[in-house]
């Protein structure tokens, strides 16, 4: 079975780890968000690609959900001693090795997709089963910027600065994807969508993780026109994200912070949507959008619980397969 998933960082990575546990023989392709990418101290950092890579490869800091396990911060301390900026984003020593390899390869002319493949050769090659292929959504530079008003002045900051330094405490007036107009899908992305037996939207941030991937030219159309069932899992339980500040970006996007609101963002794509068991009241409103919906446990406590979520998603996909899609 060929499964193609669109993924951000923590929500995407954790879900995918459960998916691989649930169906080790599946051929999984992950299309990763690169709009969080940022240049720091001259290094090209790809936070979401790295979170997925470290999580699936067994190198992630488990409690934190991102970054490397058993990390040290000597370089960050030395940078701070020089007064080097920015100081709101701390890079760990082990993590820096990844960014050094990436930055060097990019400078040598390799596209991000080739760099990602090279980095994943270390982390994902030895996975059991068919393993997983991680593709950046694009080789072009796309960045999520957030327009905020500070001291009466409107200015755009990189999403990472808004998220990490400002903690999303200053409301986002607008969210802008710089570079998206000219970005094209990375090699293999549209092909992986077209060839998929199932397309999954993990419980990733719908606005700043899934949104940028779908905004790359051709991607949303490819998902919409693929014959494969498209099933997503809600990152929102009740009226709040399970972790992080997705509520802030949903509000900016004018979307209700509910499992129904998020389903509505993708109603042109979704055949199935999973909501948390406590959100059973959302099933009918989601189905009113023409999307098959089930309420099941959606907390990724551990890999087994996450694998069960993946099985539910595939089961729902099986249920809508073969032209039995819900019609509005
Ligand atoms: P990021 O790029 O690291 O922010 O990660 P993603 O975009 O992939 O995922 C972030 C989303 O994951 C957040 O909106 C969370 O609500 C969601 N999330 C995290 N843990 C869980 C969980 O256990 N269950 C569900 N349903 N969503 C989760
Ligand atoms: Ca992210």
């Amino acid at each position: 079975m060929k499964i193609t998933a669109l993924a951000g960082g923590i929500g995407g990575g954790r879900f995918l780890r459960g998916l691989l546990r649930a169906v080790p023989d599946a051929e999984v392709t992950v299309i990763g968000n690169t709009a969080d990418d940022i240049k720091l101290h001259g290094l090209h950092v790809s936070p979401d690609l790295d979170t997925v890579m470290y999580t699936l490869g067994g190198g992630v800091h488990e409690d934190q959900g991102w970054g490397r396990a058993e990390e040290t911060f000597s370089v960050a301390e030395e940078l701070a001693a020089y007064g080097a900026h920015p100081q709101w984003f701390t890079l760990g020593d082990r993590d820096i090795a990844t960014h050094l390899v990436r930055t060097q390869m990019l400078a040598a002319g390799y596209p991000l997709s080739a760099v990602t493949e090279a980095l994943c050769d270390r982390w994902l090659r030895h996975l059991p089963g068919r393993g997983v292929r991680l593709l950046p959504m694009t080789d072009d530079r796309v960045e999520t910027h957030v327009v905020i008003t500070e001291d009466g002045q409107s200015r755009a900051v990189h999403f990472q600065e808004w998220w990490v330094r400002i903690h999303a405490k200053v409301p986002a007036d607008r969210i802008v994807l710089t570079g998206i107009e000219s970005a094209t899908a990375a090699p293999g992305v549209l092909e992986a969508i077209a060839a998929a037996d199932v397309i999954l939207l993990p419980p990733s941030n719908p606005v700043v993780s899934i949104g940028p991937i779908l905004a790359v030219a051709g991607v949303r159309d490819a998902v919409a026109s693929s014959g494969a069932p498209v099933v997503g899992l809600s990152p929102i339980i009740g009226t709040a994200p399970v972790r992080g500040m997705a509520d802030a970006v949903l509000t900016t996007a004018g979307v209700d912070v509910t499992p129904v609101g998020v389903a509505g963002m993708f109603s042109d794509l979704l055949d199935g949507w999973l909501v948390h068991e406590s959100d059973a009241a959302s099933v009918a409103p989601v189905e009113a959008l023409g999307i098959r919906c089930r309420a099941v446990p959606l907390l990724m406590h551990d890999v087994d619980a996450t694998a069960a979520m993946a099985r539910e998603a595939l089961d729902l996909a099986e249920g809508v397969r073969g032209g039995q899609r819900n019609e509005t």
Side-chain angles (χ1 to χ4, degrees), residues 228-314:
V230 181
V231 172
L233 300 91
S234 179
I236 302 294
I237 294 182
T239 56
V242 177
R243 58 180 286 169
M245 304 161 283
D247 46 327
V249 283
L250 284 166
T251 302
T252 300
V255 176
D256 285 349
V257 186
T258 65
V260 185
V262 178
M265 292 176 68
F266 309 122
S267 58
D268 55 326
L269 306 176
L270 289 172
D271 299 296
W273 186 243
L274 294 178
V275 300
H276 189 52
E277 52 189 348
S278 57
D279 287 323
S282 299
V283 170
V286 171
E287 296 216 321
L289 297 170
I291 303 164
R292 201 79 63 85
C293 186
R294 279 186 203 159
V296 299
L298 284 192
L299 285 172
M300 300 189 279
H301 292 303
D302 53 37
V303 184
D304 284 337
T306 313
M309 285 166 54
R311 279 188 213 97
E312 289 286 359
L314 294 174

Side-chain angles (χ1 to χ4, degrees), residues 47 62 145 159 211 225 230 279 287 319:
E62 276 301 331
H145 288 192
F159 172 72
S225 62
V230 181
D279 287 323
E287 296 216 321

Side-chain angles (χ1 to χ4, degrees), residues 24-264:
D25 291 331
E27 218 177 291
V28 178
T29 304
V30 181
I31 301 170
N33 172 42
T34 60
D36 283 8
D37 287 22
I38 186 167
K39 205 138 206 187
L40 294 165
H41 308 291
L43 301 178
H44 184 115
V45 181
S46 296
D48 285 2
L49 295 180
D50 288 348
T51 298
V52 170
M53 181 173 81
Y54 295 153
T55 303
L56 296 181
V60 80
H61 186 303
E62 276 301 331
D63 299 338
Q64 195 170 253
W66 51 272
R68 293 280 281 110
E70 289 153 40
E71 186 58 285
T72 55
F73 297 93
S74 298
V75 173
E77 283 161 22
E78 290 294 310
L79 285 168
Y82 283 113
H85 285 271
Q87 294 182 351
W88 47 263
F89 200 107
T90 310
L91 297 175
D93 299 332
R94 293 180 151 206
D95 195 33
I96 283 173
T98 305
H99 311 318
L100 284 170
V101 174
R102 175 183 292 118
T103 306
Q104 236 168 352
M105 284 187 73
L106 288 170
Y110 290 96
L112 184 62
S113 50
V115 177
T116 304
E117 190 179 343
L119 292 170
C120 286
D121 190 52
R122 169 182 173 195
W123 292 104
L124 306 183
R125 182 166 34 103
H126 59 272
L127 291 181
R130 310 283 292 261
V132 55
R133 200 162 55 117
L134 174 62
L135 309 176
M137 66 190 199
T138 179
D139 280 333
D140 300 314
R141 195 73 190 262
V142 175
E143 283 183 4
T144 302
H145 288 192
V146 177
V147 180
I148 57 171
T149 307
E150 253 183 343
D151 307 324
Q153 297 264 322
S154 175
R155 66 184 189 107
V157 295
H158 191 290
F159 172 72
Q160 294 293 349
E161 182 173 355
W162 185 67
W163 199 254
V164 178
R165 181 178 73 80
I166 303 175
H167 296 293
K169 292 220 166 72
V170 179
D173 302 332
R174 271 182 311 129
I175 294 164
V176 183
L177 281 173
T178 65
I180 197 69
E181 306 77 19
S182 52
T184 56
V189 165
L190 298 178
E191 292 81 353
I193 295 169
D197 298 309
V198 179
I199 297 172
L200 296 178
L201 304 189
S204 282
N205 188 311
V207 180
V208 294
S209 293
I210 305 283
I213 303 173
L214 289 173
V216 174
V219 171
R220 195 169 191 121
D221 284 347
V223 174
S225 62
S226 103
V230 181
V231 172
L233 300 91
S234 179
I236 302 294
I237 294 182
T239 56
V242 177
R243 58 180 286 169
M245 304 161 283
D247 46 327
V249 283
L250 284 166
T251 302
T252 300
V255 176
D256 285 349
V257 186
T258 65
V260 185
V262 178

